[in-house]
Every structure is written in C-alpha cells, then in structure tokens.
Amino acid sequence: MKVYIRTYGCQMNDRDSENIAAEFVERGWEVTEDETKADAVIVNTCSVREQAEIKAIGKLGNVIKWRKSQGANFLPVVGVTGCMAQNLGPKLVKILPDLDFIAGARKTHKVADIAIEYYNKRMAGVRKPELKKGEKRTPATSDALVDVSDDLTSHLYIKKHLEKTGAKQVCALVSIMQGCQMNCSYCIVPKVRGVQRSRPADDIVDEVKTLAERGVKEVTLLGQVVNAFGRENAQKEKTSEFVRLLQKINDVDGVERIRFTSPHPAFFRDDLIEAYGSLEKLCEYVHLPLQSGSDRVLKEMRRPYRAEQFLRIVEKLRARSGRMSISTDVIVGYPGETDEDFEETRRIFRASGFDMAFIFKYSPRAGTLSAERPDDIPEDVKEARNKILLRDLEKQSLAFNNALIGTTQQILVEARAKRGENMFMGRTRTHRKVVFKGDESLVGRLLDVKIKAATVSALDAQLGPDFEAERGAE
Ligand code: SAH
Ligand code: SF4
Ligand code: F3S
C-alpha cells in the first residue's frame, strides 16, 4: 500500500509530515510521489494566512473530485491534518463532506493509524452512506472522523525519521518542541498548536546521535520559539536550556553543522550570542523575525521588544562573527500601520542588513486579537509596501552574495542540483546556496570551493585545485 503526503506551511509541518511518513512505513506502507497511485492521500496544512487555507482546501477538493472520477470505492482514503485541520475542525466537514478524516495539529502521530483503519474498512467493503441520484453529500451523510481534541503529549512523538534509500541523507530537521507560549496579536499558531511543550533534552540528543550514525551531517532544530526551549519548566536559569542543548549536540560525533529556527528576539540573550564561535558546529546564520520596525506597531503586535533592542542583537551577532548572515520575517499592512511606521520598518530592515527575508501581507485570522480590529490597510498599499521591501532585500542580498565572489567558502554538499547534468548543490555555513560541477561521491562532504559568480539567490563555484589534486591521486 502506498501513501502520498502533501505538505503546506513551515518546516515544523515538513518535519511532522516526515514523522507521519515514517509511521506509515513502520506499518508496512510505502511513500509515493505519485498521488494517482496512492491508497491514502494525506494533506498536512497551514493556517497562518488565509491564502494558506485556501490553497489546502483547493487541493483537497481536487483530490476528492479525482477520487469520484475513479468510481465508488472511496479509495484512496483522503485525510487532512495539521494547523488548518485543527483550526477549522468540524467546519471542514461542511466544506468537504467527502473527507474521510480530520486530525488536528496535535494528532499528527495518530494519522497513520486512522488512515489505515479507513483503508481496511474500505477494503472490507464498508462504503460511505449511500446517496440518492443527484443528491450531494452533506455533513449528515458524511462519515468523516473529526479529532481535534487536545493532546499535551504530542511533542513526545515527533522523533521518527524515514531511512532514505538510494540518495544519501545529509541534512535533517529535528523538532525539539511543540506549541508556542507567546501571544502575538496577529498569530494563530498558539491557538492551533497549543501551549509550549519542550521535549526532554536527552531524547533529542539520542535522536541526533541516531541521525549521525546514519550519515546525517547537518541538523536544524525546530521550534516556534526555539530559543525558549525548556523555559516552561525552568524560568530563571542562568545558562538557557537551549544553549545547553546546543552544547550537547555540538558534542555529537558525526554532526558537522547545527542550525535552528526560529528564535525570538526576546529570548536572544548573550549566552546564545556567545555560542557563535565557541560552538564550532553552530553555523553563522540566524533567522530572526523582526515583524515590524515601528515600536508603536510592535507594541500593538504584543511583541515584547523594541526596534533598538532588535538592532542591538544584530550588532552583537555581527561583532561576534563578521560573516554572520541574518534573515527575517516582516508583516506589512498591520491594522493602523502608517507610512511613518512603514518607514521605520524600512530603516530597521536596512540597518540590520538582512540578506534574506520573508515579507508577508497582514492577513486577519479569526480568533486572534488583531482580527477584532478592522483590516484597514488597503490591499494596494500592502502590495506597494511589500514590493518596496522586496526591492530593498534584493539589493542587500545581491551585495552579500557579490562580496563572496573570489573567496573560498566551505560548503556541505547536499544533493544533485536541478540545473544540468553533473551539477550539485551545497550550502555555505551562512546558508547561501552554491551550485558547482561535481559528482555523486561528493554528497555529504565538506568542501572548500571558490566562488565564481553570484545572483540574488545562488552562487556558482568551482572545486579548488587542492581538491582536484586529491581526486587525481585517488
Ligand atoms: N514562530 C515564528 C513564526 C511562525 S509564523 C516566530 O515567531 O518567529 C511565520 C511568520 O508568519 C511570522 O513570523 C509572521 O511574519 C507571519 N505571520 C504570522 N501570522 C500572520 C498573519 N496573520 N498575517 C501575515 N503574516 C503572518
Ligand atoms: Fe506566532 Fe508569535 Fe508564537 Fe511566533 S512567537 S508562533 S509569531 S505567537
Ligand atoms: Fe502554518 Fe502551522 Fe507552521 S499555521 S506556519 S504550519 S505552525
């Protein structure tokens, strides 16, 4: 039997999907990339902006339409999980009564069992309630299971990884916690993912060791507020739990690189800044969400820091390591955002020198504090502000990349590149994508390469003469 999994949203969702896939494999199923061959289709969803929900509902609608075209055996099983499933719950049965199940974001560890139960039922001849000719399915004739109940133990289950067959696995995601303890006015994540729950550190270290034994060289630790790891249990610690975890992972043999996402400025303390340079595996790249550069807006957003404090973290990081790369998230068009507020954001954006950023147009989410206010910034103003920041970003990004031309950079070779035969891709410690001509034996290796050319999004490189000589001698 085969399962097809489609994922929307953030890396935590990517990681949850991998866990779901591993649960299926444990039960004797295969993962397929071809949804037309699947016996179960799982859509793992996001709720963070309205557009994310629209996309997922569209996708599910198409899958169901396709299933209907295949006859009346109700296969593949179609299930939805993740944040939108949690957010909409029974409302999804109204929108898509043909679904088989809706399992919330705190139930992803149950998805494989629920789907397989439906599959077995269908194979045993159990059909959905019969419809009269021309009658449309409604919630009354739906047999969709809805499970969006809370589960405060769900974080303990996100530790299964797929063992890759064929290609070497070089990088892995590791979710170290679930939920969020913050209260940002615009954000639906705390509602859908629940309160912050950190996994036991030893469990995480064991997971990383297992990955390293399988050949994984780079781990990215994930959490909504990753640097608040463990804080729900120990508020007043001297060295943060998160830094202690980084230290332990730095000691794992075989791991060459450590990254994490996303830290919160409010918990970015000096011990974390000092970890750069003292933990040799910790890469010089930080994704630090700014959201707004206007103190007035930050306050309304309930982000507990001010623009100058944000800049100070950036300065300290840059002082610690000259080649630090910093990226961010910004929301434009928050209710009441004036031209002056936006100019402040632009100022902090430039002063921080971000070389990557995700810029989002504000999207009101029912159930959040800011959704009670009118969404009063017109779409064309949001769009214009979005474009201005993107243009600023492009300049900053290109400048960062251009400055690397002619230098030698260490890259970790990740995989074959899409661009052309014998082309491979890796990343610098600063997370810049590098494309070069090589061969399969290089995947998983740390190499020094010479940067030849740059665009906004990638660098072209050549293997250094030392490496060519080494290969010649092999
Ligand atoms: N936990 C992370 C962010 C998770 S959501 C953090 O706090 O940094 C990813 C990004 O989506 C956020 O950083 C924010 O920029 C954006 N976002 C969240 N809610 C939004 C909304 N209602 N409208 C537009 N963008 C939003
Ligand atoms: Fe959302 Fe704020 Fe939590 Fe990030 S820190 S997930 S933006 S509530
Ligand atoms: Fe989206 Fe849920 Fe991630 S709302 S951004 S998938 S935590």
Side-chain angles (χ1 to χ4, degrees):
M1 271 69 61
K2 295 188 172 124
V3 61
Y4 171 83
I5 305 177
R6 177 65 186 267
T7 311
Y8 295 93
C10 62
Q11 282 171 299
M12 303 198 72
N13 258 19
D14 290 334
R15 177 67 196 104
D16 288 343
S17 286
E18 194 192 8
N19 207 59
I20 294 170
E23 299 257 4
F24 271 99
V25 169
E26 252 181 26
R27 288 155 179 75
W29 283 52
E30 257 175 65
V31 179
T32 176
E33 301 290 318
D34 180 355
E35 61 189 300
T36 65
K37 302 258 159 48
D39 303 289
V41 172
I42 310 295
V43 180
N44 189 5
T45 57
C46 173
S47 226
V48 83
R49 282 167 291 277
E50 190 187 13
Q51 208 49 41
E53 293 197 343
I54 293 172
K55 263 197 222 155
I57 290 172
K59 173 72 194 167
L60 285 161
N62 285 339
V63 175
I64 285 166
K65 203 162 138 197
W66 181 81
R67 180 170 78 179
K68 281 184 183 158
S69 75
Q70 300 299 296
N73 65 350
F74 302 110
L75 284 172
V77 171
V78 181
V80 52
T81 186
C83 297
M84 181 188 76
Q86 185 79 41
N87 190 34
L88 299 181
K91 283 190 207 142
L92 270 175
V93 184
K94 283 196 192 138
I95 305 170
L96 296 161
D98 291 285
L99 280 174
D100 293 311
F101 68 88
I102 295 152
R106 299 169 225 174
K107 287 290 151 61
T108 54
H109 56 294
K110 296 271 165 71
V111 162
D113 282 336
I114 299 172
I116 292 170
E117 201 182 312
Y118 267 89
Y119 176 78
N120 289 339
K121 264 189 0 191
R122 300 290 182 238
M123 293 308 280
V126 182
R127 300 286 178 251
K128 283 185 185 288
E130 292 274 339
L131 299 178
K132 295 195 197 83
K133 210 167 181 256
E135 184 189 351
K136 281 217 154 118
R137 196 170 295 286
T138 64
T141 49
S142 170
D143 67 347
L145 173 125
V146 182
D147 186 354
V148 290
S149 58
D150 206 356
D151 186 340
L152 292 177
T153 68
S154 62
H155 60 297
L156 301 174
Y157 297 94
I158 1 162
K159 51 180 164 189
K160 291 177 187 161
H161 291 260
L162 280 178
E163 281 194 61
K164 294 268 184 309
T165 44
K168 274 188 229 162
Q169 186 186 1
V170 180
C171 304
L173 302 174
V174 175
S175 280
I176 65 170
M177 62 222 278
Q178 275 279 311
C180 177
Q181 59 173 14
M182 305 309 280
N183 202 12
C184 305
S185 62
Y186 50 83
C187 184
I188 195 133
V189 170
K191 177 181 162 199
V192 291
R193 291 255 170 185
V195 295
Q196 176 170 311
R197 289 149 283 145
S198 302
R199 294 176 55 200
D202 291 346
D203 236 29
I204 299 166
V205 175
D206 283 348
E207 181 177 334
V208 172
K209 281 183 183 156
T210 308
L211 289 167
E213 279 158 17
R214 284 190 202 160
V216 166
K217 300 279 189 276
E218 176 181 305
V219 290
T220 301
L221 309 181
L222 301 178
Q224 287 300 348
V225 181
V226 75
N227 53 340
F229 171 77
R231 274 182 70 94
E232 73 274 26
N233 307 319
Q235 297 282 329
K236 288 204 185 73
E237 75 285 61
K238 243 195 173 149
T239 308
S240 55
E241 286 285 317
F242 181 61
V243 173
R244 271 208 290 273
L245 179 67
L246 288 176
Q247 285 162 347
K248 285 183 189 158
I249 294 176
N250 197 64
D251 290 340
V252 175
D253 286 339
V255 171
E256 305 276 5
R257 287 180 168 191
I258 305 170
R259 303 185 190 279
F260 57 83
T261 199
S262 294
H264 194 294
F267 306 108
F268 220 107
R269 298 195 311 213
D270 287 349
D271 61 343
L272 182 50
I273 291 168
E274 277 152 27
Y276 289 92
S278 67
L279 299 180
E280 72 282 4
K281 296 176 184 175
L282 187 59
C283 291
E284 293 76 17
Y285 167 65
V286 182
H287 179 72
L288 192 61
L290 169 66
Q291 310 303 1
S292 171
S294 152
D295 285 346
R296 199 190 62 78
V297 176
L298 283 173
K299 209 163 164 195
E300 288 191 2
M301 287 178 161
R302 302 204 164 184
R303 298 283 291 183
Y305 55 88
R306 299 297 159 250
E308 287 307 316
Q309 287 167 309
F310 186 95
L311 275 184
R312 216 160 317 128
I313 299 171
V314 169
E315 276 159 19
K316 282 188 192 168
L317 281 166
R318 296 208 188 281
R320 190 78 194 154
S321 164
R323 58 176 176 165
M324 185 71 72
S325 165
I326 304 177
S327 62
T328 200
D329 290 346
V330 172
I331 297 176
V332 293
Y334 185 80
E337 185 187 63
T338 61
D339 286 339
E340 292 73 41
D341 291 324
F342 177 65
E343 279 312 313
E344 280 296 284
T345 298
R346 239 185 129 184
R347 185 175 73 81
I348 304 297
F349 195 91
R350 287 209 201 108
S352 302
F354 300 124
D355 45 80
M356 239 307 283
F358 298 99
I359 298 149
F360 303 110
K361 288 184 274 182
Y362 172 73
S363 165
R365 311 304 297 132
T368 63
L369 194 68
S370 64
E372 289 165 22
R373 297 176 59 178
D375 177 19
D376 59 359
I377 306 300
E379 183 57 31
D380 59 331
V381 175
K382 285 184 186 169
E383 186 56 44
R385 290 178 183 168
N386 186 41
K387 274 219 179 90
I388 291 170
L389 281 185
L390 281 176
R391 230 178 294 131
D392 289 350
L393 172 67
E394 209 170 285
K395 276 188 219 139
Q396 289 173 201
S397 207
L398 194 59
F400 185 96
N401 278 357
N402 276 338
L404 295 177
I405 296 175
T407 65
T408 298
Q409 295 289 321
Q410 185 210 63
I411 62 165
L412 173 62
V413 185
E414 291 183 11
R416 221 169 242 292
K418 288 189 192 106
R419 199 201 308 163
E421 220 183 315
N422 295 329
M423 297 305 280
F424 286 78
M425 64 80 54
R427 283 183 194 273
T428 62
R429 282 175 66 100
T430 51
H431 208 241
R432 306 313 290 197
K433 184 174 165 186
V434 178
V435 179
F436 66 100
K437 195 165 182 187
D439 62 57
E440 201 72 46
S441 70
L442 301 176
V443 173
R445 287 189 60 170
L446 288 169
L447 297 178
D448 282 339
V449 295
K450 188 117 188 229
I451 306 299
K452 293 286 171 197
T455 62
V456 174
S457 58
L459 300 159
D460 281 340
Q462 242 175 25
L463 294 177
D466 294 351
F467 189 77
E468 292 293 1
E470 180 198 323
R471 273 217 294 189
E474 268 171 13

